Amino acid sequence: VPPITMDVRAVVQFAAVTRGLSLFLQAALNAAIPDHDADAFVPPRTEEPLYLDSLVEWLLGGLSRWDAEHFLFIAERGYLYEHNFAFFPLFPILLRGLAETLLRPLSGWLGMRGRLLVAVAVGNSSLFLLSVVALHALSRVVLQDRRLAMLSTLLYCITPANVFMTAGYSESLFAALTFGGLYLLEKGFTLRACLALAIATAARSNGLVNIGFLLYLPSLRAISQIRVYRYVWVIGRLLLISILGTVVIALPFCAFQYYGYRTFCTPSLSLERIPPALLSLGERKGYRVPDENGPPPLWCMRPLPILYSHIQDVYWDVGFLRYFELKQIPNFLLALPMATLGIMAAYAYLQANPELCLRLGLWETGANRGLDKPTPGLFNPKVFVYVVHSTVLLVFGTLCMHVQVLTRFLASSSPVPFWISAHLLLLNEPLLHRRRTSNPSVQLQTAARAGCSHAAQNPIIALLSYFTTCSPITQSILGYFLSYWLLGLVLHCNFFPWT
C-alpha cells in the first residue's frame, strides 16, 4: 500500500471535490436540458416503482445513459441479449453486490434499479479515488519526480473522460485495477500484480494488453541479474513468470467467452421463461436471446467461436479502417486532442532517447551501466514501456475502433496522457517555477495573495485563477481538460452523442 503523504491527501481531496461537483452537475444539467431522443438501448421497466425511485431517477438518471443502460440491465437481469456480452461482467457484479449488501436496507423504499443507480454513484466515486491514489503511486515510482507525479495526478482529477468515470461505465474500476496492478509490478510484487491485472481483464477486454507489461518488466529485471545469477536459472524463471502470468491475466477473458458460448450455442433457457416485455423488445430491435428450442447462431460454427468478436463486428460495425468515412470527421475531431497528446509523448520520448528506443530499453550501455537511479522525469528509461503501451492503444483505437472513444480508452488505461500534459505545463508555464522568467515577481503564490492554503498545494486551482495570464500551452491543456470535463456532463447525461 503506498504511503499516505501530504501529496496523496491533496490529490484525494481534489478528486473528492471533482466527484461531488460531477454528481451535482449531472443532476442539474439533466433536469435543465431535455433528453435527446436517441436510438439507444433503453429496456422497459418491469418492476413497480417504490417510494424513492422517482427521486433517485431524477437525481442520478444522468448516470444511466448509453452503455450504462447495458451495465445496469446486466446487473439487474443478467446476460439476456446477445449484444450484452460486449460488456464484461466485473462491473455489473460489483453494482449488484453493492445493491444487495450495503444498500439492502433501502429495499423498502428503492427498487433494484434505484439501488443500482445509487451503487453507480457511490461505487464509481470510491473507485475513482482509489485510481487517483494508484496513479499517484505509480507516477512517483516510474517518473522519480515528485512534482511531475503530483501535477499529473491532479490533471487526472479533471480528466477529459470525466463523465465516463462518473456514470455507470467500467472506466473507473478498470483504471483503479490497472494503475494499481502496474504499481505492484513496478515494486516487484509480481503475483499480486498479476491478480490485479487479471481482475482488470474481467472489467474490460483491453486488459489483455497489460500482458505486455508482465512480459517486459520482469525481462528488464532478469537481464540486469544475468551477471549475478546463473544464466539458465534467470531465463527459466522469466519464462515461468511470463507463461503463468499470461494465463492468469487472460483467464477472465477466456472464461467469459466460454460462458457466452454455453449461453447461446448450448442454451438451457426457453422463451417462455423470458418476461414478455423483454422478449418483445428483442423481437422489435433484433436482439438475439438464448432459446433451447431454436437453432444456434452461425458464429457458434466457427473454428474459434469468440462471441466478443462477433458482437463487435455485427452490432457495432467495429473493424480495421471501417470508421474511415467522411461522415465520421466530427468524431475524429473529438478524438484529436487525446490523439495529439499520445503522438507528442511518443515523439518527444523518441527524440530524447533514440538509442534507448532502438534497443527497447532492455539493457544498459556502457555509459549508463551502474547508475543507481535513472534521470527523473518523463524521459527516464522506466517510462519507455508506458509510451509503447500508450502508442499501441492509440494506433489500435484509431484504426480498428470507433475513434471518438479514444478519449476514455486512453484516459482509463494509460498514465501517459497525464504525464505528457504535466510535463508540458512544467516546461512551458513560467508560473510553475520550472525555469527562470523575465519577470521574477510573476510567481505562483496564490496562497499569499488570496489567503488560500489549499490553492498553494494545488497548482491546477492556482493556474485557473491566473488563466488569462498563463502561457498558450497551459491555456490549451487546461482548456481541453475542463471543456471536455464539462461538455461530457452536458451532452452525455442528456443522451446526446459524445466520446
Side-chain angles (χ1 to χ4, degrees), residues 24-272:
F24 170 77
L25 286 176
Q26 69 81 28
L29 294 168
N30 190 36
I33 303 173
D35 285 348
H36 174 60
D37 185 13
D39 183 20
F41 177 70
V42 182
R45 310 285 183 255
T46 58
E47 64 175 3
E48 289 294 326
L50 298 179
Y51 301 109
L52 298 179
D53 278 327
S54 59
L55 176 61
V56 168
E57 189 71 38
W58 181 76
L59 289 174
L60 302 177
L63 305 180
S64 67
R65 307 311 189 209
W66 297 106
D67 289 354
E69 282 286 6
H70 289 275
F71 285 114
L72 291 169
F73 179 80
I74 294 165
E76 185 175 0
R77 296 285 179 177
Y79 286 91
L80 178 63
Y81 300 122
E82 186 179 62
H83 69 299
N84 290 148
F85 277 82
F87 305 93
F88 277 50
L90 183 59
F91 187 59
I93 290 173
L94 179 65
L95 293 182
R96 185 66 183 236
L98 286 173
E100 295 285 17
T101 54
L102 294 178
L103 302 176
R104 185 71 179 180
L106 300 176
S107 58
W109 295 274
L110 279 175
M112 178 53 68
R113 178 178 171 83
R115 281 182 282 147
L116 289 174
L117 283 174
V118 175
V120 166
V122 174
N124 267 351
S125 296
S126 303
L127 288 166
F128 187 81
L129 297 183
L130 289 176
S131 71
V132 165
V133 174
L135 176 61
H136 183 265
L138 176 65
S139 301
R140 285 295 303 270
V141 169
V142 175
L143 300 174
Q144 299 291 307
D145 186 323
R146 173 179 175 267
R147 202 160 179 235
L148 186 59
M150 175 73 169
L151 189 57
S152 302
T153 313
L154 290 172
L155 283 172
Y156 175 73
C157 294
I158 54 170
T159 170
N162 169 59
V163 69
F164 302 103
M165 299 292 194
T166 309
Y169 281 63
S170 57
E171 268 72 5
S172 287
L173 173 61
F174 185 75
L177 290 167
T178 298
F179 297 152
L182 295 178
Y183 168 74
L184 292 171
L185 198 57
E186 287 284 355
K187 298 295 286 186
F189 301 116
T190 306
L191 183 60
R192 279 177 271 183
C194 285
L195 181 60
L197 296 177
I199 298 173
T201 307
R204 292 185 63 84
S205 61
N206 57 296
L208 289 172
V209 184
N210 291 330
I211 291 174
F213 288 103
L214 183 70
L215 298 177
Y216 181 84
L217 292 176
S219 300
L220 204 59
R221 283 191 288 268
I223 289 174
S224 67
Q225 295 172 1
I226 285 177
R227 298 190 303 272
V228 180
Y229 301 103
R230 295 182 63 183
Y231 183 79
V232 175
W233 162 244
V234 171
I235 296 299
R237 182 173 176 269
L238 172 62
L239 289 174
L240 182 63
I241 291 174
S242 300
I243 293 172
L244 291 179
T246 299
V247 170
V248 169
I249 294 175
L251 185 60
F253 179 88
C254 298
F256 186 53
Q257 299 313 303
Y258 179 71
Y259 173 59
Y261 177 86
R262 290 295 304 270
T263 300
F264 285 95
C265 300
T266 60
S268 59
L269 183 68
S270 63
L271 298 181
E272 291 77 15

Side-chain angles (χ1 to χ4, degrees), residues 211-370:
I211 291 174
F213 288 103
L214 183 70
L215 298 177
Y216 181 84
L217 292 176
S219 300
L220 204 59
R221 283 191 288 268
I223 289 174
S224 67
Q225 295 172 1
I226 285 177
R227 298 190 303 272
V228 180
Y229 301 103
R230 295 182 63 183
Y231 183 79
V232 175
W233 162 244
V234 171
I235 296 299
R237 182 173 176 269
L238 172 62
L239 289 174
L240 182 63
I241 291 174
S242 300
I243 293 172
L244 291 179
T246 299
V247 170
V248 169
I249 294 175
L251 185 60
F253 179 88
C254 298
F256 186 53
Q257 299 313 303
Y258 179 71
Y259 173 59
Y261 177 86
R262 290 295 304 270
T263 300
F264 285 95
C265 300
T266 60
S268 59
L269 183 68
S270 63
L271 298 181
E272 291 77 15
R273 295 167 58 186
I274 300 175
L278 300 180
L279 188 60
S280 175
L281 175 66
E283 293 173 350
R284 191 169 65 253
K285 294 285 190 177
Y287 302 151
R288 180 184 288 275
V289 296
D291 181 12
E292 63 180 356
N293 299 315
L298 293 178
W299 64 266
C300 294
M301 313 302 174
R302 295 175 182 172
L304 194 62
I306 298 179
L307 177 53
Y308 184 76
S309 300
H310 166 75
I311 294 170
Q312 294 294 331
D313 178 32
V314 173
Y315 289 94
W316 271 267
D317 193 30
V318 171
F320 182 64
L321 297 183
R322 289 190 187 180
Y323 225 55
F324 280 68
E325 301 175 318
L326 288 176
K327 66 180 182 181
Q328 302 299 346
I329 288 178
N331 287 322
F332 276 88
L333 293 177
L334 278 176
L336 184 60
M338 182 59 72
T340 301
L341 289 176
I343 293 169
M344 290 179 67
Y347 176 77
Y349 195 86
L350 178 61
Q351 192 177 45
N353 300 293
E355 184 185 346
L356 181 140
C357 293
L358 285 176
R359 56 186 168 85
L360 304 181
L362 285 176
W363 59 86
E364 297 175 335
T365 62
N368 294 327
R369 188 173 295 136

Side-chain angles (χ1 to χ4, degrees), residues 392-435:
V392 168
L393 293 181
L394 173 60
V395 172
F396 178 79
T398 302
L399 300 180
C400 303
M401 295 173 57
H402 292 179
V403 72
Q404 68 269 25
V405 307
L406 266 182
T407 303
R408 58 187 172 100
F409 185 56
L410 282 173
S412 63
S413 307
S414 171
V416 169
F418 308 102
W419 290 349
I420 183 64
S421 299
H423 171 79
L424 291 172
L425 289 182
L426 290 174
L427 189 66
N428 295 281
E429 180 49 62
L431 296 178
L432 291 176
H433 304 285
R434 195 50 150 186
R435 61 186 184 187

